[in-house]
Amino acid sequence: MNIQTITKTLIDAGIEENEAKKEIKMLLEHFCSYTEMDKIRGTALDEVQLSTLKEKVLERVKTRKPVQYIIGEAYFMGEFFKVTPGVLIPRDETEILVTKAIELIKKHNLKDVLDIGTGSGCIACTIAKQTPATVLGVDISSDALRVALDNVTKLGINNRAVFRKSDLFSKVREEEKFDLIISNPPYIPTGTELSAEVQHEPKEALFAEENGLKLYREIVEQAPGFLKPGGWLMFELGIGEAVQVKRFMEVFFKDIVIEKDLAGIERVIFAQLG
Ligand code: GLN
């Protein structure tokens, strides 16, 4: 038994080769304290490390649980965030959203940010860590808020990111005005078939009615009441949703910008209150 044969177990179970290698690397680092440097040096794994790796790989294959839930952490924007099955696992695409937000915050010296549907808090915490802005993260799920709070501690950002239980804007007061409202809302059309892995993630973080557009519509309609004059609204987009979300935003917002991801999919939309 060696790393190669264990990796093959993942590949034989239908996990794509590059993904399998990435997952093995994550499991090795987390459970076996075996780093890329050890690998480069050609350091061998001992029996205990190998059997631990095998055990975790078998759990992965048997349950189809995403590797991040097995580890309890996900890598996002240079940090490790705590994740549990109560929160969505941060995605690579969301790094595009957050990178754009950080750019905008720095360029326009934005101070107060609201993150709607904060989940693990990955967006809120990264913005608080990498800019001078303070962030309020809201979520309908108490489980998610507990994870987000743990991530504040993990990243050492203290009161620069705070969290509140709120169904969209329901517990945000009209006098709390923001420079930027950001959201990666649930956007998968209800009823869409999910992979075995994604089925482990919370349904309320994934699905939205109205063909996936309900939360965009509700946030766009209410956002102007919670923005300072000239404030910004920014979303991550699901595949094929840009046109419709743009239509919602055009009513209240100007200079709409849409950014594509590496696969050429329209992934981020933002605009300024007009
Ligand atoms: N804001 C979190 C993220 O982007 C959660 C998003 C969600 O649950 N839809 O990962």
Side-chain angles (χ1 to χ4, degrees):
M1 183 170 68
N2 57 30
I3 297 180
Q4 283 68 38
T5 54
I6 300 175
T7 309
K8 195 163 175 298
T9 314
L10 276 182
I11 296 168
D12 290 347
I15 292 158
E16 188 271 326
E17 188 173 340
N18 283 326
E19 172 65 22
K21 285 184 178 157
K22 210 171 82 187
E23 294 190 7
I24 292 287
K25 180 173 165 268
M26 289 163 76
L27 291 168
L28 280 172
E29 271 180 22
H30 190 82
F31 291 109
C32 309
S33 310
Y34 188 89
T35 62
E36 273 301 279
M37 211 53 211
D38 292 318
K39 196 174 155 194
I40 291 162
R41 286 201 189 103
T43 312
L45 286 164
D46 62 31
E47 282 310 309
V48 178
Q49 287 172 311
L50 277 175
S51 65
T52 306
L53 179 64
K54 191 171 169 200
E55 182 197 314
K56 298 299 172 188
V57 164
L58 289 181
E59 181 186 349
R60 170 75 179 91
V61 167
K62 248 191 240 151
T63 62
R64 305 303 295 199
K65 225 189 235 177
V67 71
Q68 291 88 344
Y69 287 155
I70 295 174
I71 290 173
E73 278 184 352
Y75 190 70
F76 181 77
M77 298 285 292
E79 303 280 349
F80 285 98
F81 286 82
K82 173 177 171 175
V83 292
T84 68
V87 298
L88 192 84
I89 297 165
R91 300 294 203 274
D92 290 347
E93 297 89 296
T94 307
E95 295 200 350
I96 302 171
L97 173 77
V98 175
T99 304
K100 263 287 139 205
I102 290 172
E103 239 176 76
L104 202 72
I105 290 166
K106 290 188 173 163
K107 185 167 169 201
H108 299 284
N109 198 16
L110 308 181
K111 301 234 168 357
D112 298 301
V113 178
L114 174 64
D115 172 27
I116 298 182
T118 198
S120 63
C122 62
I123 296 174
C125 292
T126 306
I127 290 175
K129 179 115 193 178
Q130 298 193 20
T131 77
T134 49
V135 189
L136 169 63
V138 297
D139 205 289
I140 196 169
S141 154
S142 306
D143 280 352
L145 292 170
R146 273 190 284 273
V147 174
L149 277 176
D150 284 344
N151 281 323
V152 168
T153 313
K154 211 162 152 52
L155 269 73
I157 44 178
N158 300 320
N159 47 11
R160 303 264 324 294
V162 295
F163 295 96
R164 190 183 302 166
K165 186 166 171 154
S166 178
D167 180 1
L168 303 184
F169 296 94
S170 69
K171 293 286 185 296
V172 184
R173 293 183 302 279
E174 283 263 355
E175 63 274 18
E176 294 180 273
K177 299 279 193 222
F178 298 90
D179 297 296
L180 167 67
I181 297 175
I182 186 168
S183 184
N184 174 22
Y187 56 59
I188 301 174
T190 309
T192 305
E193 189 103 24
L194 300 176
S195 73
E197 278 78 9
V198 178
Q199 282 180 35
H200 285 270
E201 297 190 87
K203 304 277 167 290
E204 77 262 36
L206 296 167
F207 289 121
E209 303 284 332
E210 302 173 17
N211 263 326
L213 297 166
K214 182 171 183 213
L215 281 304
Y216 294 110
R217 184 181 58 71
E218 293 186 339
I219 294 170
V220 171
E221 284 169 4
Q222 295 180 62
F226 295 89
L227 282 169
K228 296 180 198 172
W232 302 79
L233 177 61
M234 183 181 269
F235 290 114
E236 178 170 320
L237 295 166
I239 297 174
E241 296 179 335
V243 172
Q244 195 52 50
V245 175
K246 184 166 181 255
R247 262 185 217 138
F248 296 150
M249 290 176 80
E250 272 164 359
V251 180
F252 311 97
F253 294 85
K254 61 175 186 189
D255 304 331
I256 298 178
V257 179
I258 295 171
E259 300 273 345
K260 291 184 177 166
D261 66 15
L262 293 172
I265 294 163
E266 294 172 317
R267 193 52 83 180
V268 173
I269 189 166
F270 64 96
Q272 190 171 20
L273 202 53

